[in-house]
Amino acid sequence: MKRWGLVSTAVALALTLVVLAVMGAREPLPGNDAGELAAPLPMAPRVPTSSSSGPPPTVPPPANPPSWMRRLQPNEKPPQFVLFSFDGAASKAHWDRVLPLTKRVNAHVTGLLSGVYLVADQDKRSYTGPGHEPGYASISFGGTRQEVAQRIEYLNDAIEAGHEIGTHYNGHYCQGDEPSVGRWDTAAWNRELDQFFEIVDKARRQGFALDPAAVRGGRTPCLEGKWDQAFPAMKQHGLVYDTSHVSLGVVWPSVQDGLWEFPMPEVRVPALGKQVVMMDFNLWYALNGAKEDASRAAEYTQVVVDTYRSVYRKTFNSNRAPLVIGNHFNEWAGGAFSAAVEQYMGEVCVQPETVCATYTEVIQWMQLQDPVVLEQFRRMPAARN
């Protein structure tokens, strides 16, 4: 799902084409529990090159803050935040498992919604991706109008339970499906976000409970984008965070061009002895080239859970930076990666001094802290397992 800096365009495109050959060019409907089409990341970190000197963006405080939502005492360590996020975020089967699990372990997660999942197939020409034909997207649309209505109902259940809905934009045009998001200028990003919020507004007239003002951030398709072009559009649409960059190890969020940036960490997979971006598809690609093999599901689940545990231990015992764990609602490799994230959520969210929270909740917590203390956290070395 992500792209790295120091590999040539030709190599990156070749990798994408390999994945297209393996998985096909479109994903099934979200109701069929598929994750998104995703290209593997080349093996070098992409690090933001600019930062904002202005004040960080703010969000309103929570109405009923939990006990951990407070200013740290002198020399007190921060909680170990764990941020589970799901790109696409529109599978009922997966929400049906995640919602009772999060209630049991007192966790909140973030669903990064692809807008076209709220657009019925018969209405798909109402969406035009920048540079593409009306009614075309790299992922499936929402099925029948009845399926869209059902999707709104279970997304409402997630919102009512305190989970966050962010944006994964709409058409999911990654490198190779040109013009891909990595080529878009600010006008194109503005058009994509205009349409995302238009889709949300239309869904609200159908009973969707998502307040557009509560959409505070997102992740770009395949982590692609020219950030000097994308970030201005994000800010113009009221977003306050992004989670599309990649960091070498786990680091504290910083303000990049006026937005909070929560990078995806590149970590060591102990079973493989190699560095991989901690996203389910990237882990799958590192394990066997993203080839479907349900017979190895238990093995892959164990490898991923062991990786999560290793990264958590290192982070908890060092810089305590928020740990971003990226996923999709998918049944890849016999459901190995969904099983891994659900198993790990069940064990980590009940650990002492650990909070499984949304991006917005972490921002609200950071707003309460002494800026000098936060800057000290950001200057700590990355947690590298």
Side-chain angles (χ1 to χ4, degrees):
M1 257 292 300
K2 315 315 168 208
R3 189 162 62 101
W4 289 89
L6 303 179
V7 175
S8 70
T9 300
V11 172
L13 180 57
L15 289 170
T16 301
L17 293 176
V18 168
V19 178
L20 289 171
V22 171
M23 297 183 64
R26 289 175 178 269
E27 62 181 89
L29 291 177
N32 293 333
D33 304 332
E36 296 176 358
L37 175 67
L41 285 174
M43 300 306 294
R46 181 177 63 201
V47 179
T49 57
S50 62
S51 61
S52 172
S53 59
T58 61
V59 299
N64 299 297
S67 60
W68 53 264
M69 186 71 74
R70 59 176 179 80
R71 193 181 184 97
L72 292 175
Q73 298 298 314
N75 300 317
E76 182 182 9
K77 290 184 177 181
Q80 178 58 65
F81 292 109
V82 183
L83 287 80
F84 290 96
S85 56
F86 299 92
D87 290 8
S91 165
K92 183 178 189 302
H94 288 85
W95 277 119
D96 283 349
R97 296 203 301 267
V98 167
L99 288 178
L101 171 59
T102 55
K103 183 177 182 180
R104 186 168 69 249
V105 299
N106 195 28
H108 286 158
V109 303
T110 302
L112 300 172
L113 179 65
S114 297
V116 295
Y117 290 157
L118 297 179
V119 179
D121 289 358
Q122 68 189 85
D123 302 321
K124 65 183 182 180
R125 289 185 64 84
S126 65
Y127 168 68
T128 302
H132 293 273
E133 295 296 319
Y136 171 74
S138 295
I139 55 176
S140 299
F141 283 79
T144 67
R145 287 178 177 170
Q146 181 180 4
E147 288 173 321
V148 170
Q150 292 171 339
R151 191 161 300 122
I152 288 171
E153 288 182 5
Y154 61 75
L155 288 172
N156 283 349
D157 291 340
I159 293 168
E160 184 178 2
H163 304 294
E164 178 171 4
I165 302 296
T167 181
H168 198 41
Y169 303 88
N170 302 308
H172 209 278
Y173 308 108
C174 296
Q175 185 176 6
D177 197 353
E178 306 302 336
S180 62
V181 299
R183 298 178 180 269
W184 286 357
D185 60 13
T186 300
W189 282 106
N190 272 322
R191 180 56 185 150
E192 182 78 341
L193 279 166
D194 284 347
Q195 292 186 91
F196 178 84
F197 284 104
E198 288 167 4
I199 290 169
V200 169
D201 284 341
K202 183 176 180 179
R204 281 171 61 80
R205 294 194 292 273
Q206 299 171 281
F208 194 21
L210 181 63
D211 182 350
V215 179
R216 297 192 175 99
R219 181 175 293 134
T220 65
C222 299
L223 298 189
E224 294 177 4
K226 295 180 180 178
W227 308 118
D228 63 339
Q229 299 296 312
F231 276 32
M234 295 175 189
K235 288 187 290 186
Q236 289 174 37
H237 285 81
L239 304 188
V240 299
Y241 74 83
D242 172 71
T243 181
S244 307
H245 287 103
V246 174
S247 60
L248 185 58
V250 185
V251 299
W252 277 88
S254 60
V255 179
Q256 302 292 332
D257 298 320
L259 294 177
W260 284 109
E261 180 60 48
F262 289 78
M264 298 283 299
E266 178 196 353
V267 303
R268 187 178 68 88
V269 178
L272 301 177
K274 66 169 67 172
Q275 298 288 118
V276 181
V277 175
M278 203 162 63
M279 170 69 82
D280 49 6
F281 183 85
N282 300 80
L283 292 163
W284 185 25
Y285 194 88
L287 284 163
N288 78 343
K291 298 179 178 66
E292 188 56 56
D293 185 359
S295 69
R296 301 182 69 183
E299 173 193 348
Y300 292 168
T301 295
Q302 191 62 54
V303 168
V304 174
V305 170
D306 287 346
T307 300
Y308 291 156
R309 289 169 176 163
S310 175
V311 177
Y312 170 87
R313 284 195 299 268
K314 179 62 177 181
T315 309
F316 183 88
N317 291 318
S318 57
N319 66 4
R320 292 277 181 103
L323 178 57
V324 176
I325 297 180
N327 291 273
H328 301 76
F329 285 151
N330 70 80
E331 290 303 308
W332 297 327
F337 304 96
S338 293
V341 76
E342 291 164 17
Q343 176 183 332
Y344 190 64
M345 190 184 300
E347 68 180 56
V348 75
C349 298
V350 296
Q351 294 299 311
E353 301 179 54
T354 300
V355 177
C356 293
T358 67
Y359 291 90
T360 290
E361 287 173 328
V362 175
I363 292 172
Q364 290 168 328
W365 179 88
M366 291 193 295
Q367 289 173 177
L368 296 174
Q369 308 310 310
D370 183 339
V372 173
V373 172
L374 280 181
E375 184 60 27
Q376 290 172 345
F377 292 156
R378 281 192 286 270
R379 291 183 179 183
M380 295 179 72
R384 299 182 62 181
N385 66 321

